[in-house]
Structure formats: structure tokens, C-alpha cells
Amino acid sequence: TARVPNNAFLTIDNGLVMNPEPTAAGQLKPIMEYPVGVVIHAHNLRAFPAEFPLVLRAARAPVVQTVYDYSLICPNVWCVWPDGTPCEGGPGRKCFEHACEKNSRYDAQVVLAARLRLRYARRCSRAFICPSDHLAGLLRAHACHPVHVVPYFAEPPGPADAGAPAAPRVPHLV
């Protein structure tokens, strides 16, 4: 959420932009004239048109994108082929070669939009934030740089004695 003139707030989150202006570009207009120092923090842009990162870049403010799932690199958001094999992501021909549309119905237009969204997000975002090392690795493999990992959970405190065995790690699913 960013504070913009006239006490309005701009929130870009899962396709929702909250501001009195009727269109996304119109809602960003106040930020485009806002003083240097504003940062646009975008969340999961999947519901937006593929070109939306270009609209954000036009604001001339740094864009930081939080990626909560595989939606930036996978049209069906799972990064798993229908047979259960993990996929390295990257929207394109392989989505159809492996019949990934069985996981989530889509067509060539959706894959093309996902491909463009990834390209534009790489070009327009100053940084990416994600909740896991695994997702960070996939984002880096798709040229999203820099990627910062901010886990959803807190690590348990370390042992009081440096020689004591470490507490077992608890697996977390995100």
C-alpha cells in the first residue's frame, strides 16, 4: 500500500486496485507525479493484463514485486506436470507438451500472456520478494534479479550452548 496525494491509498494485490479512480492507469496517475522516494509494492499480478508492469514502470518509481506462488513463472501456478513431476517453470511450448492445461484449464492466449507478464515483470521490477528458497531459485533461473527471501515463519531460537545439538527443523509448507 502506498500513500498518494489526497489521502488516497494505492493497493495492488491479487488484481485489486483500491482508489477512487476508475481504471488502473488512472489510479496510478497520482503516483506518477508524486515526489521521489515512493516505492510501488506489487503483489501477484496474475489477474492484471500482461502489460500492467509497464504501467507501473511508467510511474517512474521503483517497483518491488512480492511473488507468493508460482504464478509469475507458471500459467497454472503449480509448477507441477499432471503426472506429478516438478517443473522448472517458464510459460511456453512445454506447458502443452506436458498437457499442463489438465491441471488448470487455459489456452495459448493465457500462456502467451503469462510469458509476456514474466518478461515485463523482469524488465520493470527493481527486486522480487518471495517466501522460500525454492521459489527464489526458480525466479533466479528465470532471470528475476535480485530475489530476496522473506519466510512466512520465524525460525526457532538457536541453542543456548554453542556445543549443544541444534533443535530439529520443522517442515513448513508454503
Side-chain angles (χ1 to χ4, degrees):
T1 303
R3 192 176 246 333
V4 295
N6 301 325
N7 296 321
F9 287 89
L10 173 72
T11 301
I12 302 167
D13 191 2
N14 294 326
L16 300 175
V17 178
M18 320 229 357
N19 195 295
E21 297 275 346
T23 64
Q27 291 168 354
L28 287 173
K29 188 175 179 187
I31 263 190
M32 292 179 189
E33 294 141 9
Y34 204 64
V36 176
V38 169
V39 172
I40 298 173
H41 185 187
H43 301 257
N44 287 354
L45 299 179
R46 184 174 188 197
F48 285 98
E51 300 82 8
F52 194 69
L54 298 175
V55 173
L56 295 177
R57 185 174 73 173
R60 299 180 189 259
V63 176
V64 175
Q65 183 171 352
T66 297
V67 181
Y68 296 100
D69 56 31
Y70 300 105
S71 62
L72 190 60
I73 58 172
C74 176
N76 73 23
V77 189
W78 294 12
C79 266
V80 175
W81 295 338
D83 68 0
T85 304
C87 177
E88 70 276 2
R93 179 187 307 191
K94 71 178 166 201
C95 299
F96 297 104
E97 291 173 346
H98 295 282
C100 293
E101 70 276 10
K102 290 179 183 176
N103 288 347
S104 176
R105 296 203 178 272
Y106 56 80
D107 57 16
Q109 185 176 3
V110 172
V111 173
L112 176 60
R115 195 172 174 87
L116 289 171
R117 189 174 297 106
L118 173 59
R119 179 184 299 168
Y120 296 147
R122 284 191 305 237
R123 188 183 305 169
C124 300
S125 299
R126 286 269 181 97
F128 297 85
I129 300 168
C130 70
S132 72
D133 291 327
H134 180 259
L135 181 53
L138 290 175
L139 290 170
R140 290 180 187 117
H142 289 283
C144 296
H145 299 289
V147 179
H148 303 280
V149 176
V150 179
Y152 288 141
F153 56 90
E155 289 289 333
D161 178 22
R169 290 186 58 111
V170 178
H172 299 319
L173 298 175
V174 284

